[in-house]
Amino acid sequence: MLIVDDEPDILLMLRVNFETEGYETIFASDGQTALERIAEDKPDVVLLDIMMPILDGWGVLERCRELDHRPLIIVLSAKAGHDDIERAHKLGAYEYVTKPFDPDQLVKIVGEALGRP
Amino acid sequence: MAGSGDHPDTPAEVRRAIQEQARIAGLRKFDKPSLEAIDKRRNQLWTAATVVTIAVATAFAVFAYLAPSDTDVDAIQQLFPWLRAVMVGTVAVFFLYLVEKELALRKLTKLLLDERVLTSALSNRLRELTALTDAAKAINSTLDLNDVLGIILSSSLGLLGGTEGSIMLVDEEGEYLDTYCYRGSADRYEPEPRIRIGQGIAGYVAANREPVVVTGKPDPKKFKDVPPKEAAIHSAMCVPLVSRGRLLGVLNINDTEGGRDFTDYDLRTLKLFADHAAVAIANARLYEKEKEHVAKLMEVDQLKSEFVATVSHELKTPLTSIIGAAQTLRRAKSRLDEGAREEFLAMIERQGHRLLRLIEDILFASKIEAGESPLKLEPVDVGAIAEETLRTLATRKGAERIILDFPEAGLQAMADPGALQQILLNLLDNALKYGGDTGPVVVTGEVRDEEFVEVCVSDRGPGIAPEDQEVIFDRFRQVDSSRKRRSVGVGLGLYIVRNLVEGHGGRIRVESELGQGSRFCFTLPRPRPEF
């Protein structure tokens, strides 16, 4: 899975949580790099932050719509407005999780999304 | 009420006197006493007089010439003095009657004329008062300044019969009168757009707050520096517009065609009206100020909401790490090794401090905004503080790219050490996060002039677009980063930095070109030489 966030501590925290569940994780700190990793490594799931330099989460979502093999995208954001949630879903996000979140919950959501037990 | 019978004062008294005379004159009750009725009556009387005279004369003639035989002559001779007396008596009585009627009719005529004059004067007055009231209502019906001025002018022109008029209002410094509104029956009417207070007729009125009416050439002893347009007016009235003791401007009503010579009475009417007008203008002005005020308040409100939204967003970021790390430690404890556990505990501490700094920054910033200065300035070595800051950032990714370049001998400035660290921390944080991944991040410091030192933080990142450069310090909204260029952070960092810098008495600016990296420079005051 691809974890995208410009906060290194959040990346670390998510990485540890998912790797202990057996996931293989790769990372990106901005939208541009995220798109590159999506194209090259074709992850199944993307945990996507919105507020990032160079290209933000919205930009990533938009570009992903045009891809053939679209990964499952879960948006992670501190913004909790209805408009944002709607916008994310309209752009094809699978789920919208607000920060701060419970890492355990996130693991469960990803598990369900991928059909894992 | 003090009118005597001969000089009635009130309309009611006049009326009564008229009725009385009409009765004496013998006008028929249902004839309205009028000049025509008087003529009619006079004709009646003269006709009657003529008839009576003819009748008497005829009777006399008949009697005299159709005298019968001698036998009757004696009797007639005896009767003759009586007859003569009767005849003369009749004529005399009738003559007196006529005279009485004629006198009554003359008095009546005079009274009717008086009444006419009185009625005319009253109806004029009524017309004026009605017009005044209507106009006063009209000018109070709107709070739009331009509308009010227009209505004042049209009403005044209607009331007083001028051919053109203008309203001039005092400017902010109180030195000039500017023409705000004008109306004229001629197309070519263009009043002087601006005159000095004291200049010409309008200037005189404004300076002395005295209404004037000028017909013909303005007296050069009284009016200084009269603009040619003003001097050419046939008859001009100018009144001051004063509300609550403040001079707002002047109202000009002119006659240019020679049709009217304005009188003091007209001036008085105009002044009365101007008093109403001044109130309306003051109200309209107040209303405009209120609207501006409300708009500003709404803007402030808007900014406040944005601020709150940004702040809560900023605070949630470190909290995510803290809560996430704590929960991970609790639940996955068994699956984490010693190193990972340590890492998470360090993360909690680190992010906790960050949260604390953020809250302190915000408090600092809001205090500075409110005009209080929580900064305690002391002489510090900027280089030393920079090194301290670098140590705090040691664990950050990319921290090794930071280079400090300060003079060997040190760089002294007046600063609050904690605040200066915040400033550098924020700028470096920004540079690492948004200033690209490669190239050095350089912090330089040098003396700029006698009063200030300058410190700059530069990176080799994507640069900042010119339109963003203008807003990055002012606004605290995320600049749209969907284009391939440096985004300017989640808003609070630079806003806080600016507040802190300005709280020291310095200024901050950014130099950047797209693709050429960015350079943030701020100034700090130098310490005063100790005596």
Side-chain angles (χ1 to χ4, degrees), chain B residues 106-119:
Chain B
R106 289 210 182 165
K107 231 183 224 168
L108 189 59
T109 309
K110 182 179 173 301
L111 284 171
L112 283 177
L113 290 173
D114 279 348
E115 192 197 29
R116 218 182 245 186
V117 167
L118 212 66
T119 308

Side-chain angles (χ1 to χ4, degrees), chain A residues 6-7 9-10 12-13 16-17 20-21 51-56 78-79 99-104, chain B residues 313 316-317 320-321 324 327-328 331 335-336 343-344 347 350-351 354 433-434 478 481-483 485:
Chain A
D6 60 342
E7 284 285 320
D9 278 345
I10 294 182
L12 176 60
M13 192 250 304
V16 168
N17 271 285
T20 57
E21 293 293 321
M51 294 296 197
M52 292 185 294
I54 301 175
L55 186 65
D56 66 10
K79 288 190 180 185
K99 293 177 181 174
F101 48 77
D102 178 349
D104 232 33
Chain B
H313 186 276
K316 283 182 188 170
T317 306
T320 307
S321 308
Q327 280 177 345
T328 310
R331 305 221 190 106
R335 284 172 284 161
L336 296 172
E343 187 68 58
F344 276 109
M347 187 191 293
R350 191 165 52 234
Q351 292 293 337
R354 178 172 160 192
K433 215 174 194 183
Y434 303 109
Q478 167 88 356
S481 60
S482 56
R483 289 166 276 162
R485 52 169 181 69

Side-chain angles (χ1 to χ4, degrees), chain B residues 503-519:
Chain B
H504 282 85
R507 288 247 99 86
I508 186 165
R509 67 171 201 281
V510 60
E511 291 166 10
S512 180
E513 269 180 52
L514 287 174
Q516 306 283 1
S518 319
R519 198 160 158 226

Side-chain angles (χ1 to χ4, degrees), chain B residues 415-454:
Chain B
D416 179 310
L420 182 52
Q421 245 198 50
Q422 299 290 50
I423 293 170
L424 289 170
L425 210 56
N426 271 317
L427 288 176
L428 287 170
D429 208 65
N430 258 359
L432 290 178
K433 215 174 194 183
Y434 303 109
D437 289 325
T438 55
V441 172
V442 185
V443 186
T444 59
E446 61 180 9
V447 171
R448 198 186 75 164
D449 57 41
E450 269 177 24
E451 290 183 58
F452 291 102
V453 301
E454 194 174 59

Side-chain angles (χ1 to χ4, degrees), chain B residues 489-501:
Chain B
V490 286
L492 224 38
L494 288 175
Y495 170 72
I496 287 168
V497 162
R498 186 188 69 162
N499 257 326
L500 292 176
V501 166

